[in-house]
Amino acid sequence: MSWLDANLGRIGDLALTHLWLSVLPVVLGLLVAVPVGWWAQRHPRLGGVLLGSGSILYTLPSLPLLTIIPVILGTSILDPLNVVVVLSLYAVALLLRTAADAFAQLPREVVDAADATGHSTWQRALRVELPLAGPVLLAGVRVVSVSTVSLVTVGALIGVSNLGSLFTEGFQRNYTFEIVTGLVAVVLLALLLDGLWVLLGRLLLPWARTERSAA
Amino acid sequence: MIEFRSVSKTFADGTTAVRDFSLVLPSRTTTVFVGSSGCGKTTLLRMVNRLVEPSSGQVLIDDVDVATRNPVELRRSIGYVMQHAGLLPHRRVVDNVAVPLRLAGVGRSEATSRALAALETVGLDPALARRYPRQLSGGQQQRVGVARGLVADPNILLMDEPFGAVDPIVRDDLQQELLRLQRELDKTIVFVTHDIDEAFLLGDQVVILRRGGEVAQVGTPAEILADPADDFVRTFVGLDKARRTLHVEERAGARIVVDGDGRPAGVLGPA
């Protein structure tokens, strides 16, 4: 236990780094995937190609990507930015399909009603389609959020500090307790973030939870 | 006044919904398009606010071709009530009604108070205003749809089978409500239905359509009943059925109206 006492502050720092290395890619991925997915669903032919390439992107293994990206960006190999960029690419790849599906499954009569009441294309997209796609987008974000928290640990292999560093150190020193601590911390962080997304969903999408009641 | 000038519509898949349709819909009256599914009645309705563009011909409102008008602006100037209400599930009832006002740039508080007034006009309990659409019954949702169609006080109200999905008692209620509203508000209403009784109840002018948007007969309900154009119209309005062929019989000193099967349909009141 003395190791834990002595390292509590450091674990907290690693967790904070881990947190922003996880949140940033998910947010960036969402910001890119939502408009592109919306566009892809309106232009099926080019959109299909786009969605397909997104899927291919996700099949690229992360470790080689983490070594190639610094060469492309001209960043230092130890720069946390590399991790953010790689994980953002994965987030886009996953969320692009989710976003396109979320917009494609909107009830036809609601979109029609939006047109009939005189929404312009932009008004319809922002005031009707985006909020109605919200629940599906949220479900996608929750999946990506959890997988991103676990993928961040790979960054430790190339020397970007985060909770994964507890794994690499634990292995080097053959100290199981440190590995388990890292594992537990990563799981807790993933659960915490998931809880935050759910909370955000309740705040932004209050209508999605209303039960049908006899009036 | 709405005018269709030799309007045709062929969709991308090759089906012809409307063929060479011409008609004048006088202002401040209700015109009902009635026909079976596939007769092009909804297509005709949707051409008025450019949700559908004609393949040829023109639709004019007060002598202005709608094709020359910005479709978004045009739709904001025309009320639209659709089947299944078409409410936005993520907006509260009052905000749904306020949508046309907000789109037209009316401020939030004024839009809300006008929306509440519109809900009152269609006879909806103000307590429901803060609910979400899915928390309302089908009939209540339909009233909200009518309130949304009326809130911006448009001259023209398009109604696409608005009462088709509610149960008969609620439908009856909504029909009477619409008749009352029309007496008060004097809109130019274009109404689409497949129910001939609804058409005769609501329509000043009734247009019976066959497949392909071909007009079988245009007239007032009385004109159509008195002089059906052909066998199709005769069958469509049910003149071959017992319930439409009424005669009077004296029974117990009263004059009873009896249908073709001998079933009493009502009494003959004083003229």
Side-chain angles (χ1 to χ4, degrees), chain A residues 112-113 115 118 123 127 212, chain B residues 46 75-76 86 90 134-135:
Chain A
D112 195 41
D115 284 337
Q123 288 169 328
R127 298 188 191 185
R212 196 199 163 92
Chain B
R46 291 166 72 89
R75 286 169 203 153
R76 286 178 190 167
H90 61 299
R134 76 169 70 163
Q135 296 173 301

Side-chain angles (χ1 to χ4, degrees), chain A residues 109-110 112-120 123 127-128 131-132 206-208 210-215, chain B residues 46 49 51 72 75-76 80 82 86-91 99 103 128 131-132 134-137 140 148:
Chain A
E109 71 268 15
V110 175
D112 195 41
D115 284 337
T117 45
H119 289 77
S120 66
Q123 288 169 328
R127 298 188 191 185
V128 179
L132 289 180
W207 53 273
T210 54
E211 298 289 317
R212 196 199 163 92
S213 65
Chain B
R46 291 166 72 89
N49 68 351
L51 285 171
V72 171
R75 286 169 203 153
R76 286 178 190 167
Y80 196 92
M82 53 212 302
L87 302 175
L88 306 178
H90 61 299
R91 298 267 177 81
V99 160
L103 289 173
L128 301 178
R131 300 224 181 146
Y132 288 103
R134 76 169 70 163
Q135 296 173 301
L136 269 54
S137 71
Q140 289 168 332
R148 181 177 65 183

Side-chain angles (χ1 to χ4, degrees), chain A residues 72-88:
Chain A
I72 298 172
L73 295 181
T75 47
S76 139
I77 187 104
L78 292 175
D79 196 329
L81 188 67
N82 304 327
V83 177
V84 172
V85 169
V86 169
L87 295 183
S88 298

Side-chain angles (χ1 to χ4, degrees), chain B:
Chain B
M1 186 184 75
I2 304 170
E3 186 180 356
F4 290 86
R5 270 191 205 157
S6 22
V7 168
S8 297
K9 177 66 189 182
T10 304
F11 285 103
D13 65 358
T15 53
T16 300
V18 175
R19 190 176 288 125
D20 197 26
F21 178 88
S22 296
L23 185 74
V24 172
L25 290 67
S27 293
R28 301 174 198 287
T29 62
T30 303
T31 298
V32 180
F33 292 140
V34 60
S36 318
S37 49
C39 72
K41 54 192 190 294
T42 295
T43 304
L44 284 169
L45 184 86
R46 291 166 72 89
M47 285 179 186
V48 177
N49 68 351
R50 293 190 68 182
L51 285 171
V52 172
E53 304 285 354
S55 309
S56 65
Q58 291 145 0
V59 181
L60 301 96
I61 295 176
D62 295 330
D63 299 316
V64 177
D65 188 342
V66 294
T68 64
R69 298 188 53 187
N70 174 298
V72 171
E73 302 280 325
L74 179 73
R75 286 169 203 153
R76 286 178 190 167
S77 72
I78 295 175
Y80 196 92
V81 184
M82 53 212 302
Q83 201 178 3
H84 306 297
L87 302 175
L88 306 178
H90 61 299
R91 298 267 177 81
R92 292 175 195 277
V93 164
V94 62
D95 299 325
N96 258 287
V97 176
V99 160
L101 296 173
R102 297 287 293 147
L103 289 173
V106 176
R108 182 176 293 277
S109 65
E110 191 198 332
T112 302
S113 64
R114 282 174 67 182
L116 287 169
L119 285 169
E120 203 182 312
T121 307
V122 299
L124 206 75
D125 183 354
L128 301 178
R130 300 290 300 159
R131 300 224 181 146
Y132 288 103
R134 76 169 70 163
Q135 296 173 301
L136 269 54
S137 71
Q140 289 168 332
Q141 289 188 31
Q142 213 47 258
R143 278 178 198 267
V144 177
V146 175
R148 181 177 65 183
L150 290 171
V151 73
D153 197 24
N155 292 325
I156 297 173
L157 190 60
L158 306 178
M159 306 186 85
D160 184 10
E161 302 208 42
F163 311 143
V166 294
D167 70 67
I169 296 170
V170 175
R171 186 183 311 148
D172 210 47
D173 239 31
L174 290 166
Q175 288 168 345
Q176 293 305 326
E177 198 77 23
L178 182 63
L179 285 171
R180 180 184 68 77
L181 282 171
Q182 175 62 346
R183 277 195 296 273
E184 282 171 20
L185 302 174
D186 245 3
K187 304 290 182 195
T188 304
I189 298 179
V190 189
F191 194 104
V192 161
T193 181
H194 57 262
D195 177 355
I196 187 67
D197 291 315
E198 186 167 65
F200 281 167
L201 176 69
L202 301 174
D204 300 306
Q205 172 173 252
V206 173
V207 183
I208 299 180
L209 296 159
R210 286 185 238 270
R211 276 203 154 284
E214 208 179 302
V215 177
Q217 190 168 3
V218 181
T220 65
E223 284 165 0
I224 293 172
L225 279 173
D227 185 19
D230 55 21
D231 284 345
F232 173 82
V233 175
R234 204 185 312 275
T235 310
F236 192 82
V237 304
L239 276 171
D240 58 339
K241 300 219 177 61
R243 69 187 178 91
R244 283 259 196 251
T245 48
L246 309 172
H247 63 279
V248 178
E249 286 178 12
E250 291 266 353
R251 283 194 198 163
R255 288 186 297 165
I256 308 276
V257 179
V258 178
D259 74 11
D261 289 333
R263 287 195 195 87
V267 295
L268 204 60

